[in-house]
Amino acid sequence: MSANLLCDQMDQAYPFLIEMAEIRRRARQHIAGGAATLDAAADRQLVIRLLNEALAAELVCVLRYKRHHFMGTDSIGNAVKDEFLKHSQEEQSHADRLADRIAQLGGTANLNPEGMIDRSQVEFAADETLADMIEEDLIAERVAIQSYSEIIQYIGTKDPTTRRLLESILVVEQEHAEDLAGVRQEILRRERGMIAADANPLTSGELQ
């Protein structure tokens, strides 16, 4: 199978992955623009812009996780609902820390709801099933990991304070991805068990 065909199939199966290419293009465009100048003030403005995009993504993720928490029913289990709530609280903490750092750099945190999705690297997917919720959240976390990694790489040693902040956020996003991957595997395991049970409806008691 060619690489292009595989990519096309992935895009069809996971349309949200298309945004990853746009994120990378936009990040590289910002970075290329910043690298063309040696002006520290311009460099700072670029970092503020990148942080505001990350802030928008965190706020969208807060809303996503809260929606999934409150949509949850007893059938999905309190543990999964609690996981969604915990993630939303941690994403809110990330947003607060990013906004604080933007202010420290002399910028203004863009909290305007209008255009937030456009500024964000993630989308607000209106999923209905638990499997869809977790899959979209997992994709969003992987996008966030990619985005933070590229910003950290760009900043390098130019701004140790911002770099440490982003590195600490990145660690939590990686933990979120691991948590969600584990939950997804458990759901798949249960679904396989249900399919097997449907295929073999007779229990050992009925066979007797």
Side-chain angles (χ1 to χ4, degrees):
M1 181 181 293
S2 70
N4 288 338
L5 180 57
L6 180 59
C7 288
D8 289 342
Q9 291 177 344
M10 287 293 290
D11 287 346
Q12 293 172 6
Y14 304 102
F16 187 57
L17 287 176
I18 297 173
E19 290 197 5
M20 282 187 115
E22 174 59 21
I23 293 164
R24 291 171 183 162
R25 183 200 65 76
R26 185 170 60 184
R28 291 192 180 106
Q29 184 181 53
H30 289 339
I31 290 168
T37 177
L38 298 177
D39 181 9
D43 225 22
R44 185 169 59 252
Q45 290 305 311
L46 172 58
V47 171
I48 290 170
R49 182 166 57 186
L50 292 171
L51 293 181
N52 261 316
E53 290 183 359
L55 171 61
E58 293 290 352
L59 291 173
V60 172
C61 285
V62 170
L63 297 176
R64 283 171 61 108
Y65 281 125
K66 278 189 174 293
R67 179 177 185 272
H68 295 169
H69 169 72
F70 290 115
M71 278 182 63
T73 61
D74 292 340
S75 62
I76 75 169
N78 288 329
V80 177
K81 289 184 63 176
D82 290 345
E83 195 69 34
F84 285 145
L85 180 60
K86 177 173 176 283
H87 285 196
S88 76
Q89 292 168 341
E90 289 173 339
E91 303 290 11
Q92 182 64 63
S93 174
H94 296 169
D96 292 344
R97 294 168 68 195
L98 287 168
D100 187 46
R101 183 58 186 156
I102 290 169
Q104 291 173 0
L105 290 170
T108 300
N110 189 346
L111 300 173
N112 188 345
E114 185 176 353
M116 185 173 293
I117 294 294
D118 292 334
R119 296 193 304 275
S120 169
Q121 300 99 330
V122 299
E123 63 180 16
F124 188 84
D127 308 301
E128 298 298 333
T129 69
L130 176 60
D132 288 343
M133 291 178 197
I134 292 176
E135 185 169 318
E136 289 299 322
D137 285 335
L138 182 55
I139 292 172
E141 290 293 352
R142 288 175 175 168
V143 170
I145 289 169
Q146 176 68 32
S147 179
Y148 279 122
S149 297
E150 292 196 3
I151 298 173
I152 289 169
Q153 183 178 5
Y154 164 67
I155 289 176
T157 60
K158 290 183 288 189
D159 184 353
T161 301
T162 299
R163 181 187 177 97
R164 286 193 297 270
L165 167 62
L166 298 180
E167 286 174 339
S168 67
I169 292 176
L170 177 59
V171 169
V172 178
E173 302 295 2
Q174 290 169 332
E175 291 173 352
H176 286 180
E178 292 173 3
D179 292 342
L180 291 168
V183 173
R184 184 172 181 272
Q185 287 300 315
E186 176 61 19
I187 290 173
L188 293 175
R189 185 187 67 78
R190 292 182 183 180
E191 288 179 349
R192 286 193 293 267
M194 292 174 64
I195 292 172
D198 290 340
N200 300 280
L202 294 180
T203 64
S204 58
E206 291 173 321
L207 288 173
Q208 295 173 358

